[in-house]
Every structure is written in C-alpha cells, then in structure tokens.
Amino acid sequence: MSKTPSLYLFVPADRPERYSGAIASGADAVIIDLEDAVTPDRKQEARTSLCAELNAATVTAIPVLVRINGIGTPWHSDDLAAVSDLFATGRIAGIVLPKAEAVTDIETIRAGLDRDAEIIALVETAAGLARADEIARAADRIAFGSIDFAADLCCEHSREALLLARSRLVIAARVAGKPAPVDGVTRSTRDEAEIEQDARYGASLGLKAKLLIHPAQIAPARRGLAPTEAELAWSQRILAGIGDGSAVMIDGQMVDAPVIARARQIRDDHKWTSNRQT
C-alpha cells in the first residue's frame, strides 16, 4: 500500500465549525466539500466561510483538499479562484474535481493552479470511465464516485453492477503509474460491519483507499483496508521460508517471485495501516 492517504473524510464547506474536528478525527486527509454537500443557495456563503476559516487557521498536519463544483457549473470559476489563493498560501494541498470526463478538464484546472497542486479526479459517469486511462495519466489520483456513476448508468448501486467500473479504474491507475484509486463512499454511517466489508471488498480489487462521509466510518474502514490475520500469517510463513529467494515449496504450494511479491505487499500494507492506527 502506497503511503499516500488511505482514508479521505468529507466535511461540508458551509459547516466551518466542523473543520477542526474532521482534521483531528484520525482520517488521513480531509476534503472540504463545496459541491454535493452544499445546496445551490448556500454556495457563495460556503466559499466565503471556507476561505475565512482556512486563512485564519494554522497549517494542518494532514492534507486538506477542496472539492470544487464541476466545470460547466455556475460556481466553478469562483471556486477555482478561491482554491488557487488557498493553495498559494499553503492552506490546502489541492482539489477534488467532480465528474471528470476528459484530459481537458484536468488541464483547465492545472492552468488555474500552481503545478504542484494535487488533483484528484472523481470518475462518476460513463463518459469519465470511457476515458479513464487519459484521466489517470493527467490527474495525481483518481477516485470512484460510485453513487453518481450508478445514477448515470441507471444501474443498481451494488458490487456486481459496479465491478467492471472499479476494476477498470484500478487498471487505469496502475498503467499510469499513479497511486491506487480511492473507492466511493458507504452510505451507512452506523453499520460498522457494512463499512468494513465495503472497504475490504474495494481493497481486494485494488482500490486501496476510501472516501468517507462521517468520522464514525474511520475505524471500520481502516480495519477493512488492513490485511486480515490469515493473510498476515500467510505472508509471514512465506517470507520466513523463502531463503535465498529461489522457488520453494511452502504449505504444499510452489512459492516463486510473484507469490513472494504478494507476501511483501501484505507485510507492507500491515505496517502502513498499523502505523495509521497508532
């Protein structure tokens, strides 16, 4: 697991009193949301609150990003100008771009920001998925807006219906040499078993990070992203038994370079998630 953030917690931009709590929640990064979490009549107020609060705050210990309104919306230009100023003063690490559908979307954002700003592109439509390879190359990381995607396709928001899309994003990120994609939100904020299972399912496909909508989701999601005890025990047996690294038989199975590589990935994932829990 790359040491990039694994858990991104959304907080509504028009609730500035929640910013500090979100930053101290134990998430790896916070996304202050100007888009879906804010109704149209409160967009300007939310943007004003965002700028005032972050400019008055000290630089945070974890990355803070802003989800702006999408290209083509009435609020996009003002959002981009505001976040550009916040990035220039070191208040935010970058932005989340909703409904990314083309490289030109990313290039437009880059033109309005410092080149070092992180851009996470949310793939939320069929058009975005169709251009996943180019979007993954242009952005710093891609994320899956699963609920919006299901609505765009008029399909069920289920693992079976969204399997192809999730796998497609994992492959696009890998080919582009970018961090593993960020999986979409779990709608339940109270069912810890569901949250953990969703995170584990995404991780099993290669989505090694997750979007969260409530601090109560942090602990179960982190458990879901971590290797299971059985996986960790297996990796320890493999790594203890490989000797000089040549092919050997362990537990009655041939262990060669790809198996050893997987065992090392599990070991590293365990170290990363354990460090984040402490």
Side-chain angles (χ1 to χ4, degrees), residues 46 62 92 108 112 126 149 165 174 185 196 203 216 254 265:
I62 65 171
I92 64 170
T108 299
F149 184 85
R174 178 59 178 161
V185 302
E196 180 175 342
M254 178 63 69
Q265 289 169 355

Side-chain angles (χ1 to χ4, degrees), residues 82-265:
V83 297
S84 180
D85 290 343
L86 290 170
F87 182 81
T89 57
R91 301 301 176 179
I92 64 170
I95 69 157
V96 177
L97 176 65
K99 296 179 175 61
E101 295 186 339
V103 166
T104 52
D105 295 348
I106 313 300
E107 292 173 343
T108 299
I109 298 300
R110 293 245 186 245
L113 293 174
D114 187 289
R115 299 293 299 181
D116 293 332
E118 181 179 4
I119 297 177
I120 297 179
L122 262 171
V123 175
E124 303 181 271
T125 64
L129 186 66
R131 301 182 182 95
D133 291 334
E134 60 192 68
I135 291 171
R137 287 193 297 270
D140 295 287
R141 195 170 197 179
I142 51 176
F144 186 34
S146 58
I147 296 175
D148 280 286
F149 184 85
D152 186 51
L153 267 66
C154 299
C155 73
E156 186 178 326
H157 187 260
S158 66
R159 292 177 183 177
E160 294 80 4
L162 301 177
L163 172 59
L164 174 62
R166 284 190 166 100
S167 296
R168 182 73 185 82
L169 293 180
V170 170
I171 293 169
R174 178 59 178 161
V175 171
K178 300 296 175 67
V182 186
D183 204 3
V185 302
T186 298
R187 286 173 289 192
S188 173
T189 61
R190 297 183 180 182
D191 189 334
E192 291 200 3
E194 180 182 355
I195 297 162
E196 180 175 342
Q197 290 164 8
D198 277 359
R200 191 171 306 284
Y201 173 74
S204 76
L205 298 177
L207 293 98
K208 301 292 187 178
K210 189 165 178 61
L211 299 172
L212 308 177
I213 56 174
H214 194 280
Q217 295 179 319
I218 293 171
R222 200 176 294 286
R223 290 195 299 269
L225 292 176
T228 65
E229 291 184 6
E231 288 171 331
L232 183 59
W234 173 84
S235 72
Q236 290 170 338
R237 291 197 303 274
I238 297 299
L239 296 177
I242 58 176
D244 61 4
S246 58
V248 295
M249 294 293 291
I250 299 177
D251 293 344
Q253 297 183 350
M254 178 63 69
V255 174
D256 55 7
V259 177
I260 295 170
R262 177 58 183 152
R264 287 173 175 158
Q265 289 169 355

Side-chain angles (χ1 to χ4, degrees), residues 26-54:
D28 301 319
V30 166
I31 301 172
I32 301 176
D33 189 14
L34 285 166
E35 196 216 14
D36 283 350
V38 180
T39 58
D41 61 306
R42 291 178 61 84
K43 297 287 189 185
Q44 182 174 342
E45 178 186 345
R47 190 186 309 112
T48 300
S49 296
L50 166 72
C51 295
E53 188 71 16
L54 291 188

